[in-house]
Amino acid sequence: MSNLEHFQNVVLGGGEAGKYIAWELARSGQRVAVVEKGLIGGSCPNIACLPSKNEIHNAKVVDLIRHASKFGLRLGPWTVDMAAVRQRKRDMVDGLIAIHKARFATDDLDFILGEGRFVGPKTVEVRLSQGGTRRLEAERVFLNLGTHAAIPDIPGLSGAVPLTHIEALELDRVPGHLIVLGGGYVGLEMAQAFRRFGSRVTVLEQAPQLAPREDLDVADAIRAILVEDGIDVILEATIDAIEGRSGNQIGVRLCTPAGEREIDASDLLVAAGRTPNTHGIGLESAGVELDLRGYVKVNERLETTAPGIWAMGECAGSPQFTHVAYDDFVSDVFRPQPYRLLAGRRKVAARRCGSSDGGRRSLRARREDRLADRRRSSCKFR
């Protein structure tokens, strides 16, 4: 058994909120351990925000070249080199990882690559990426676990080995015909990018509009843009079954208001929501409770049901945006000295807007109004 190591703070997950908490606590002289499974810096610089925008920008350049004649340019033959597109993205990610490694290499901060699992209250056992284990005990634990792409329970879907946004960003080829399962923002930005790279693209959405959380006029405008790009959009689509394997030959049987259809394609991308990374890590051993959807139950200060343990970011049900995770760090978990001035400025702004809660409620209210189906209102406790 590994020797028990004591830290003032252990952070499970080095994403947006987790890394800033770790850096700030270490800067203040507290001993911190960050346990990260593999994405140094979190999803945003590795597999999500920044890499996706990198490829989307590439796709925009391709689209401009394709319409160069409209701008008075006469170009010779050209092709899309997806291997080069991928390498440009990888080079950017490598640079961001190097920046994060440098920031984690600071006094009082122990950055540990491995998988952490609770074996008791505020006690975490880490299976190290390089082999071996370490056992950590902390006065405070911060959960920054994130989410992963959900794979709906559709006959044949898991066996088709579909792409998620992670694999899509690693393609070194242009799919002949890409079916995108899901009309939310992840599916739509991938759909448009690959259409501009040259793929035929079909988007399937079970709701009566694209971007179901947006107002109808916004959704209609998005659809008009995609249709103008040449993307097929099928709404109110119920998938009955999927056959084949993505990357080779895929077949999708579906029902629509117009009747049953079958669509053949070369590739399938699933962008049908997210699932929290909260299972199989021993949260029950720590006394941390989950809601019915698997998100960590938290109160308004992001305290879990276990004393001395906080959760933040997507695993706590916060809206799935990097800047919201950063706000969880700044305004909800704790407010160290550098941010007290910011809090004061928020209070001034709040008074100008007629708010008496220090300016935090306005953002929290917008989150709750935006995601009324989330569980935050039903799990407040003291």
Side-chain angles (χ1 to χ4, degrees), residues 165-184:
H165 68 284
I166 298 174
E167 293 80 22
L169 292 172
E170 278 293 298
L171 287 178
D172 62 354
R173 58 183 176 82
V174 176
H177 182 187
L178 176 67
I179 294 177
V180 178
L181 180 56

Side-chain angles (χ1 to χ4, degrees), residues 118-361:
F118 281 98
V119 293
K122 293 189 283 189
T123 304
V124 176
E125 186 171 83
V126 184
R127 186 173 63 188
L128 303 174
S129 298
Q130 300 298 320
T133 60
R134 291 175 65 176
R135 184 166 290 207
L136 317 176
E137 181 184 57
E139 299 171 18
R140 292 176 295 272
V141 178
F142 300 94
L143 305 177
N144 187 213
L145 306 171
T147 61
H148 62 274
I151 304 298
D153 186 18
I154 297 173
L157 179 56
S158 60
V161 195
L163 302 166
T164 69
H165 68 284
I166 298 174
E167 293 80 22
L169 292 172
E170 278 293 298
L171 287 178
D172 62 354
R173 58 183 176 82
V174 176
H177 182 187
L178 176 67
I179 294 177
V180 178
L181 180 56
Y185 58 88
V186 174
L188 296 182
E189 66 179 6
M190 291 289 99
Q192 186 182 57
F194 279 100
R195 174 58 186 161
R196 289 177 167 181
F197 283 135
S199 298
R200 177 186 171 191
V201 177
T202 302
V203 175
L204 306 179
E205 169 56 50
Q206 64 180 356
Q209 66 174 65
L210 293 176
R213 294 189 183 278
E214 302 301 329
D215 292 340
L216 181 58
D217 58 339
V218 174
D220 288 344
I222 293 173
R223 182 178 183 181
I225 292 170
L226 298 179
V227 170
E228 184 179 3
D229 276 350
I231 295 174
D232 296 324
V233 177
I234 302 176
L235 301 176
E236 298 182 78
T238 301
I239 312 299
D240 290 332
I242 294 173
E243 299 176 348
R245 186 181 179 92
S246 181
N248 184 16
Q249 180 71 25
I250 201 81
V252 178
R253 298 205 311 270
L254 64 149
C255 290
T256 72
E260 296 185 353
R261 292 187 59 176
E262 293 189 12
I263 303 175
D264 294 325
S266 60
D267 296 83
L268 177 64
L269 168 64
V270 175
R274 309 287 295 173
T275 298
N277 298 326
T278 54
H279 295 285
I281 61 170
L283 291 176
E284 64 281 359
S285 299
V288 175
E289 296 180 8
L290 306 178
D291 68 10
L292 294 178
R293 300 180 65 191
Y295 292 90
V296 179
K297 289 184 178 181
V298 294
N299 63 13
E300 284 299 317
R301 287 189 57 80
L302 300 182
E303 295 166 312
T304 72
T305 52
I309 301 180
W310 289 259
M312 65 215 72
E314 296 179 16
C315 74
S318 295
Q320 296 170 1
F321 299 100
T322 298
H323 54 276
V324 174
Y326 181 79
D327 178 77
D328 283 352
F329 152 64
V330 171
S331 63
D332 291 310
V333 177
F334 73 106
R335 190 175 284 118
Q337 185 66 40
Y339 296 98
R340 290 177 185 164
L341 178 59
L342 173 60
R345 290 174 179 168
R346 284 181 173 171
K347 290 179 181 178
V348 171
R351 283 196 295 271
R352 290 175 179 170
C353 297
S355 172
S356 61
D357 66 350
R360 289 195 299 121
R361 176 59 190 164

Side-chain angles (χ1 to χ4, degrees), residues 8-194:
Q8 290 170 285
N9 308 279
V10 167
V11 182
L12 279 184
E16 187 71 6
K19 65 191 180 187
Y20 278 102
I21 283 174
W23 292 336
E24 185 60 35
L25 290 173
R27 192 189 65 81
S28 68
Q30 297 190 39
R31 192 172 183 224
V32 185
V34 177
V35 180
E36 170 55 49
K37 188 175 180 179
L39 299 177
I40 300 174
S43 296
C44 180
N46 283 274
I47 58 172
C49 318
L50 300 176
S52 66
K53 303 311 173 287
N54 183 289
E55 291 215 1
I56 289 168
H57 181 71
N58 274 9
K60 177 62 176 178
V61 171
V62 171
D63 189 56
L64 290 172
I65 292 174
R66 182 172 287 115
H67 296 94
S69 61
K70 294 181 180 180
F71 300 94
L73 301 177
R74 296 183 181 276
L75 303 178
W78 59 272
T79 59
V80 175
D81 183 350
M82 283 300 293
V85 170
R86 182 180 65 178
Q87 189 58 50
R88 178 175 178 271
K89 183 265 301 183
R90 286 179 172 180
D91 290 342
M92 183 201 70
V93 171
D94 289 343
L96 294 170
I97 290 174
I99 292 171
H100 281 84
K101 283 182 176 180
R103 289 209 63 180
F104 280 120
T106 185
D107 293 339
D108 296 314
L109 197 159
D110 192 351
F111 184 79
I112 304 169
L113 279 175
E115 297 185 42
R117 176 184 175 85
F118 281 98
V119 293
K122 293 189 283 189
T123 304
V124 176
E125 186 171 83
V126 184
R127 186 173 63 188
L128 303 174
S129 298
Q130 300 298 320
T133 60
R134 291 175 65 176
R135 184 166 290 207
L136 317 176
E137 181 184 57
E139 299 171 18
R140 292 176 295 272
V141 178
F142 300 94
L143 305 177
N144 187 213
L145 306 171
T147 61
H148 62 274
I151 304 298
D153 186 18
I154 297 173
L157 179 56
S158 60
V161 195
L163 302 166
T164 69
H165 68 284
I166 298 174
E167 293 80 22
L169 292 172
E170 278 293 298
L171 287 178
D172 62 354
R173 58 183 176 82
V174 176
H177 182 187
L178 176 67
I179 294 177
V180 178
L181 180 56
Y185 58 88
V186 174
L188 296 182
E189 66 179 6
M190 291 289 99
Q192 186 182 57
F194 279 100

